[in-house]
Amino acid sequence: MKHGGDIWLGDLLSSWQALAPGDEATRAAMARLLGFELATVQPEAPAAAPSATPPAPPAPETTARHPPPVEVSPAGAKQQYFVSDLPRASEPLYGRDPQREWQAVEALARADTATRAAMSPPELFRPEWARTLVTTLAARLQPGRAIDEVRLVRDLAGGHPLERIPRLPRWTLGLGVQLLIDVAPGMEPFAADQIALSEHFAEAVGEAHVEEWLFADCPLRGVFAEADTEVWQPPQPGVPVIAVSDLGLGAPADHLARASVQEWLELAGQLAARGSRLTVLSPWPRARVPAALAERIALVEWDRPTSAAQVRRLLERHDG
Amino acid sequence: MSTDTTLVYTGLIAPLANEALPPGSGEALDAPDRRDGRLYDYDPQLQMAVEVALATGRPLLLRGEPGSGKSSLAAFIARNLGYRYYETVITSQSSAQDLLWKYDLVRRLADAQTRGAQDDPTPLSDYDYIEPGVLWWVFDRASATRRGWQADSTCPEPAPAGEPNAALNATRAADHAVVLIDELDKADPDLPNALLVPLGSMAFDVTDIRDRPVKVALAGGATPAEGRSGQPMSRLLVVITTNEERELPPAFVRRCIVHRLEHPGIERLVDIARLHFNRPPKRPFGEEQEKLAREIAKRLDTLRGERAESRRRLPGTAEYLDAVRAALTLGIGVGGGPAWEALQRATLLKDDWQAT
């Protein structure tokens, strides 16, 4: 608290000077408390004792600093390829043994965490904005405790009876959020994004304050957490609801069960009657959403250019 | 949280010590959630975290499950160091301003209307409507008592503000304080961010007083306290706790010394029970009591294992102490039929017992 900035090297030196750590383990423990990780430095080899015989000339630099040369296969050596014993496409389908086909393919080793992270596609929201965006999406404009002095003075000056003290509104996460995740066919490509998004909400709003349900096509048809489908229940009045859905836009042409505009409007209406706001987070651009729907619900594009400021402006309009 | 690693350093403060409880006492000392700072079971890592916070002047952010002893630590340190002690519990309704000061605008409005009706020309003084927050008391107790009023103010001196924890703090060092900001994760994200400047600079401006500028800063100038080794140490320790229900803003965490209180193992739980319930000669913590405490610790360990798999609430040290206290007082043994089942439901399982 001697300065307002982040913890820096000076804090580490101050603690070492004040507490005089006596060994490397204690120094490292103090560093960890401050968020530093000490690098291990290999001590230099001790100088060789003087010898009567002159030292051998140093090895050529190339052998000391460069990796050993790559072994090259002798010319003409046969390259080993994996040859599948699966039946060719030209083979007739009948007569195939599906069990044999599965067994013929070696299971790929599971990628480790680092590899998975490196291979996974980038998140739909910009990672550095994700936390703020999620916080903004889950927040509601509620009367705060600070008094709205301007309104108060205006009412008094106008001679209006003061029925209640006007309060300035403030954004709060205190109500929690109901998170509805669409697992209809059109959202399958975004399954991993949905999991990451759910984790973002749990971190930002608090796991205990996020009520999460899965649904297919429209929550009014039922929701589920595991296997059994239940009737969707609206949250407590005022709690914001966020549906992560493509609104049926991404469903294959033969997916006839996609929800209608009317169903979504019915959902928004039920929530509005209870003072809750419905926000739909959609991976499709706003222009593709039917105008009747886009006008009535808070529609946020789940995409890189979306910023917290845009979302806040949108939600301010819907929260009034 | 015992460790095999021995930490070797020159401490700024003496090892934190517990205060012997009066023999056979059943008074408020037995309060389940101790805030008197007399008892605390700590380990060397925690003591070093406190020392590093004092050495660097940074807030100490304590993480850990509910009931792991985060909130009890600050009072324990304050008593050991002889620092004044203040605390505030954060809720979803808290704002950063609450920690600095509050201005009673409604009372002022009512007073203005009353005076207007009585044609009283005496101007109202802002000082009368200022209530210092916990950080004001921590930074400058004298200024907080006067509500920011100074001799060159044009307004009359206001009635002194009531200091929190006044009786205890009267016996403590005037310019040294420990403050507990409890359960910061309950607040909206704006609150930690709004605390960055007051906690970073140890100063803030009181903007509701129109008489003259009022700046609150750490009293006693820049002179630090001196540790046992003669090295400087902070006169102020801010202890912040989080149950990690929400992540705190990274900018805030980067400014803190961070320590996590891990759940203690079975033997350490027994040690904690002994520390709390050993009241010789009337109520000694003998072999029989130790056996009971160990059995409950084992039961707690099993329950935690079962519930961790299903991601249910994990009973912690606080629940364990409740169970041991009740079992000792009521003479109920583990596995003792319906009485034990009822005790376990009430103290360890709580709302989740039906699911077990």
Side-chain angles (χ1 to χ4, degrees), chain A residues 97-165:
Chain A
D97 178 1
Q99 187 66 26
R100 181 177 148 260
E101 289 180 19
W102 281 111
Q103 288 169 349
V105 181
E106 286 183 31
L108 292 172
R110 287 184 69 82
D112 57 33
T113 310
T115 312
R116 268 208 308 277
M119 292 174 67
S120 57
E123 289 184 34
L124 289 177
F125 282 148
R126 286 175 64 164
E128 62 273 30
W129 292 357
R131 183 190 163 87
T132 312
L133 276 162
V134 163
T135 305
T136 309
L137 280 165
R140 284 224 69 180
L141 204 52
Q142 293 282 295
R145 288 188 316 166
I147 292 172
D148 187 345
E149 294 180 45
V150 173
R151 204 173 133 199
L152 183 70
V153 170
R154 190 189 60 205
D155 288 352
L156 288 174
H160 301 298
L162 198 63
E163 291 174 351
R164 64 177 62 178
I165 304 287

Side-chain angles (χ1 to χ4, degrees), chain B residues 34-57:
Chain B
R34 308 197 72 87
R35 295 292 173 98
D36 58 11
R38 297 170 89 163
L39 294 180
Y40 195 87
D41 186 78
Y42 73 97
D43 62 15
Q45 277 84 6
L46 179 54
Q47 165 123 13
M48 195 173 78
V50 172
E51 301 236 24
V52 171
L54 287 167
T56 56

Side-chain angles (χ1 to χ4, degrees), chain B residues 222-276:
Chain B
T223 315
E226 199 169 86
R228 280 197 313 169
S229 56
Q231 292 286 344
M233 69 178 204
S234 177
R235 288 181 285 117
L236 170 61
L237 178 63
V238 180
V239 179
I240 298 162
T241 73
T242 169
N243 290 332
E244 301 184 280
E245 284 189 13
R246 288 179 193 150
E247 277 194 351
L248 296 176
F252 186 83
V253 177
R254 278 201 300 270
R255 287 160 166 82
C256 297
I257 307 296
V258 183
H259 181 76
R260 183 176 174 79
L261 294 179
E262 301 293 351
H263 177 70
I266 291 172
E267 287 311 311
R268 179 135 182 257
L269 281 171
V270 176
D271 290 342
I272 293 171
R274 185 182 299 106
L275 181 68
H276 281 258

